[in-house]
Amino acid sequence: MKALFGQLLLGLINGSFYALLSLGLSIIFGLLNVINFAHGALYMLGAFAAYVGLVQLGIGYWPALVLSPLVVGVLGLLIEVLLLRRLYGLDPLYGLLLTFGLTLVLEGAFQQLFGVSGNPYPMPAQLSGGADVRFMFLPWYRGWAVVVSLLVCFASWWVIERTRLGSYLRAGTENPRLLQAFGVNVPLMFTLTYAYGVALAAFAGVMAAPIYQVSPSMGSNLIMVVFAVVVIGGMGSIAGSIITGVGLGLVEGMTKYFYPEFASTVVFIIMAIVLLVRPAGLFGRER
Amino acid sequence: MTEMLRVSDLHSFYGESHILHGVDFVVERGELVTLLGRNGAGRTTTLKSILGLVDRRSGSIVLNGREVIDLAPHRIARLGVGWCPEERGIFASLSAEENLLLLPEFSSEGMSVEEIYRMFPNLYERRKSPGMRLSGGEQQMLAMARILRTGARLLLLDEITEGLAPVIVQALGRVVRKLKELGYTIVMVEQNFRFAAPLADRHHVLENGRIVQTVGKDELQAKQGLLHQYLGV
């Protein structure tokens, strides 16, 4: 029994990271029409930025948690302004290729700098240890990772669906040209949306660092599953990408308990079935 | 009278297609002018070119004394241009009220939300409905209403009567007349000549991306035959 709940907790953690990452991918694709293949590399970069801050510069866990997404967000600004902006209006394939290339460059550079093996990332003293809650052992850090990730997801959903700022994003996702003709600075929105999306990825990276260690390939291991999550959830629904992320994390965790050999494939099997039955995804709208 | 808009030798392109071939016209502050012509003559493209929504344009567009040919669309809009697009452009995933409040205010001269709801009582009742649930008439009212909130003083109205029931067309006629009384400057693309004729100060007829005829309201009687010939009605 303890083993099952242990796997479910791990599934929930993975699911929260899937949710953070697919949320970012989804808003970026929705507005910019860019399939951001670099999302995994920027997740990795988030973890490394925190690693450098914490281990090499000694700035402490909490400042690293906040600063790393900011640093990666600024890098996102630069990527959008200097590179992606030139590709708008072309086939989305160009954006995919550019961001794929960026991924190779970033991962290669970090392998060169830090080697291929993982670097341990200490968790803060306040969150080490855990509690024995009757049916399982709950490590504090893992509980914290789930709660904070889901809070960030929920806050993003709330801002997008319920506020005026969010109404710009929703309108821009429908028709950016029209929105611009009404006086909204859409090019700036593109930049900020990309930055926010990749900052979410970096945040997931920092949260994941103490659980999975920090290594240059940590992003590419994860991003394939996240793309499957996005396909299953469907583009265009913020709540959909969050729910699908968490749900699939749990499904994966359960599979690890009941039929471990299957665990790394189950998401892709679900993806294939969803594509056959609902090509636009569980929550997606046909375009 | 002072000049609100001066378009000179305007050429516009979509990709390789050369759509406008040197359009010239002037609109004084407070005037209402129409752009008439057959489909494909370049009327909608003229409005879009003023806002910078074509792939490429050359010539000159002077708004309130300021050259805007090289400005981005949002910067042009912010100089006080309100656009009511042909397809109405209501955002389907936003509620009616979100659509209304979406546009940034450019100046304090805009109507308040209360004034707008007084002018368009239907919209008040439908304010919580998603944009995609509104009827064609409601969408058109909303498309007009939201540009009045921004403080824009130059309104570009593209085929606002298209596909609407006569009673709604009449209501729109009252709205446009009211806006003219309030001193708005209006450029209107209109297929429905009977709707436009009593409202307009001047009509410009476009053909193949050029203005081929200009008819003032006092010449309307005399030049009616000519207009019919151009418009094929």
Side-chain angles (χ1 to χ4, degrees), chain B residues 162-177:
Chain B
E162 196 182 22
L164 297 178
V167 53
I168 305 202
V169 174
Q170 278 170 18
L172 281 168
R174 283 194 295 274
V175 169
V176 172
R177 193 177 297 277

Side-chain angles (χ1 to χ4, degrees), chain A residues 160-164 166-188 285, chain B residues 51-54 72-74 77-78 81 83 85 87 89-94 98 101-104 106 146-147 149:
Chain A
I160 294 168
E161 296 290 345
R162 292 285 182 268
T163 68
R164 194 182 156 117
S167 70
Y168 285 117
L169 185 73
R170 278 176 286 143
T173 299
E174 267 186 55
N175 190 339
R177 266 322 245 179
L178 187 64
L179 188 63
Q180 193 178 6
F182 290 145
V184 176
N185 190 342
V186 171
L188 180 67
R285 286 184 285 261
Chain B
L51 274 166
L53 295 171
V54 289
H74 62 279
R78 282 173 174 273
V81 184
W83 183 40
E87 65 284 8
I90 300 302
F91 294 101
S93 59
L94 274 61
E98 281 180 319
L101 299 178
L102 182 70
L103 281 57
F106 317 135
R146 65 180 169 186
I147 54 179
R149 218 194 97 256

Side-chain angles (χ1 to χ4, degrees), chain B residues 66-85:
Chain B
R66 178 160 178 197
E67 178 59 64
V68 300
I69 194 89
D70 291 321
L71 293 189
H74 62 279
R75 307 226 9 235
I76 299 174
R78 282 173 174 273
L79 294 172
V81 184
W83 183 40
C84 194

Side-chain angles (χ1 to χ4, degrees), chain A residues 88-90 177 180, chain B residues 10-20 44-59 61 69-73 76:
Chain A
Y88 299 146
L90 300 176
R177 266 322 245 179
Q180 193 178 6
Chain B
L10 178 64
H11 290 254
S12 292
F13 304 81
Y14 283 114
E16 293 296 305
S17 321
H18 190 170
I19 310 287
L20 299 186
T44 294
T45 305
T46 305
L47 294 191
K48 286 189 169 178
S49 304
I50 294 170
L51 274 166
L53 295 171
V54 289
D55 291 348
R56 199 154 56 83
R57 55 188 182 151
S58 68
I61 297 167
I69 194 89
D70 291 321
L71 293 189
I76 299 174

